[in-house]
Amino acid sequence: MTTTALGLAMTWPGKVLLAECDPMGRRVLPGFLADRLRESVGPGLLGLAMAAEADPRARLSLEEYVLPVPGEDSVELLHGVRDPRHGVRLGPLWGRLAEALVSRPGDVIADLGRIGGRDTPDDLLRAARAVVMVLKPTLTQVDVAGPRLDALTALVGDRAMVGLCLIADGPYSAAEVERVLGAPVLAELPCSPADAGVLSDGARPRRTFRASLLLRSFTCLGRRIRATAGSSSTGTEDEGGAVLSTVGAPGRGDR
């Protein structure tokens, strides 16, 4: 699911911040960026949480905690915690982080990891203009997604569009998944391990990577999200951006 969030960010039209807000840990630094960074990565989300603890009333400033993604002119990263044991320090941060993300110029793609547990960042979901659940069209993943979608819809109400993104690695069609879960399928991503490995593990990209079906599918997903949710796609400097949260249900892969 982090792969989907990163792919969306890389194909997003305009300024975008990818915020790794999964309490279970980060994936982009040790994966896609492992051999691409030549400078300090900074304190990231954990540093931001520590700053929030030190001054509970101050307005959060994100600039010293984000870093540009090399080769992606419009993409910045707020990298997540390395140790899942630090996730307990993030709970008090979510509400203030949501305010900071909403007021920040450009759009935000927040990777929230698996939802449904006590550590789910509910404040970020409430702030989102769109929420996308990533899953495979298999019986087990559709089964666990159902009650979590119900809870998610109750949480965000009419404030956000809730949709699905399917990894095309299962026996059921998009229409069947839509019918069972009652949520629209915004896109089907091809099962392309070679191209997905570039984003998830920092594998060397093929020459055709930028024109691959996977990247083109991310572009289509982003277009569908903006059309459905009315998300800001210009990333202008004089207005706050829209927050998109990508989430997964327990039992899914980390795609």
Side-chain angles (χ1 to χ4, degrees):
M1 198 255 314
T2 301
T3 302
T4 301
L6 178 58
L8 266 176
M10 290 173 57
T11 55
W12 200 259
K15 185 175 181 180
V16 64
L17 170 66
L18 173 58
E20 282 191 293
C21 300
D22 183 351
M24 293 307 296
R26 67 193 186 191
R27 290 292 305 273
V28 178
L29 283 186
F32 178 72
L33 291 182
D35 295 322
R36 290 174 168 84
L37 283 175
R38 298 293 182 267
E39 57 188 40
S40 172
V41 299
L45 187 66
L46 181 59
L48 188 62
M50 294 172 65
E53 290 173 1
D55 194 347
R57 296 185 179 180
R59 184 179 181 85
L60 293 182
S61 176
L62 301 181
E63 298 315 307
E64 64 182 285
Y65 299 97
V66 304
L67 64 148
V69 175
E72 308 296 330
D73 294 339
S74 300
V75 184
E76 293 179 305
L77 172 70
L78 174 64
H79 65 82
V81 295
R82 180 184 182 188
D83 189 338
R85 291 174 294 183
H86 291 148
V88 297
R89 305 186 68 170
L90 302 178
L93 174 67
W94 297 135
R96 296 170 67 187
L97 178 59
E99 293 177 0
L101 294 177
V102 169
S103 63
R104 194 174 191 273
D107 295 328
V108 177
I109 298 173
D111 174 10
L112 305 191
R114 303 179 183 184
I115 64 168
R118 289 181 295 177
D119 57 355
T120 297
D122 288 348
D123 290 314
L124 294 179
L125 290 171
R126 293 188 185 97
R129 193 174 295 178
V131 182
V132 178
M133 177 176 284
V134 182
L135 71 158
K136 293 180 180 180
T138 64
L139 181 59
T140 54
Q141 294 205 7
V142 170
D143 181 62
V144 298
R148 286 158 180 83
L149 271 175
D150 291 342
L152 181 59
T153 303
L155 178 68
V156 303
D158 296 330
R159 294 186 300 271
M161 179 276 296
V162 177
L164 307 173
C165 174
L166 299 185
I167 309 300
D169 185 18
Y172 299 106
S173 68
E176 289 172 314
V177 174
E178 283 187 343
R179 184 168 60 253
V180 171
L181 295 180
V185 173
L186 303 177
E188 292 183 83
L189 303 182
C191 184
S192 177
D195 292 323
V198 176
L199 303 175
S200 62
D201 300 309
R204 183 181 296 275
R206 301 183 295 178
R207 294 178 59 184
T208 58
F209 174 70
R210 288 289 177 173
S212 66
L213 178 58
L214 181 61
L215 269 288
R216 287 185 279 126
S217 298
F218 286 134
T219 300
C220 293
L221 174 58
R223 187 181 300 121
R224 181 79 185 276
I225 290 168
R226 296 191 305 278
T228 306
S231 170
S232 165
S233 61
T234 58
T236 54
E237 295 294 332
D238 59 350
E239 62 180 13
V243 178
L244 159 67
S245 294
T246 58
V247 300
R252 58 100 177 105
D254 288 319
R255 182 70 172 272

